[in-house]
Amino acid sequence: TMAHNYDWRLAAEFYALALTVVGTWQREQIAARLADCRRRCAAGPRDNSIDAGELRLDEEPAVDALRLPEVWMQLGNRHGSAAYFLRAAQAAEVINDHALAEWARHKAGVT
């Protein structure tokens, strides 16, 4: 099976931000993913690859699609990263928030 490398520190930061915006019904699931990401960060780089068989791609995303743009926007602001603003734009398009997508692309420097 193919191993995928993840940026667990970014994932932990993502879920920490997500905890600030998600509804209460999602908090337990987000907190569990945050704890897992932090555990993997602490394990060190050699233990940070995951077997593809371990990934459940049919699982519902941990963060509600309506909240994803906000999380990516916060990451973009925090890191000054155009890539994160572009992720916010993509997430906003998925929920048909074209105004937010346009604003995120503007923040990313893409017009």
Side-chain angles (χ1 to χ4, degrees):
T1 55
M2 187 176 174
H4 298 276
N5 288 318
Y6 291 94
D7 183 341
W8 293 109
R9 290 189 198 301
L10 174 61
E13 190 175 344
F14 178 90
Y15 287 122
L17 284 171
L19 270 177
T20 68
V21 298
V22 296
T24 52
W25 62 275
Q26 285 184 290
R27 292 188 72 76
E28 189 175 320
Q29 186 182 14
I30 299 291
R33 292 205 182 187
L34 174 58
D36 183 51
C37 291
R38 286 183 173 156
R39 180 181 57 77
R40 289 175 187 271
C41 284
R46 69 182 177 284
D47 198 30
N48 280 351
S49 64
I50 230 181
D51 202 29
E54 219 182 301
L55 293 173
R56 285 190 238 139
L57 299 178
D58 56 338
E59 262 184 25
E60 286 295 312
V63 181
D64 187 318
L66 294 173
R67 300 296 188 177
L68 276 173
E70 187 176 348
V71 176
W72 282 112
M73 292 293 280
Q74 287 185 40
L75 282 170
N77 282 325
R78 181 175 288 182
H79 293 283
S81 171
Y84 298 158
F85 285 118
L86 290 175
R87 294 292 297 264
Q90 289 173 331
E93 290 289 356
V94 167
I95 61 171
N96 292 319
D97 190 338
H98 303 293
L100 178 59
E102 187 176 324
W103 187 79
R105 281 192 292 273
H106 171 75
K107 291 284 284 181
V110 179
T111 52

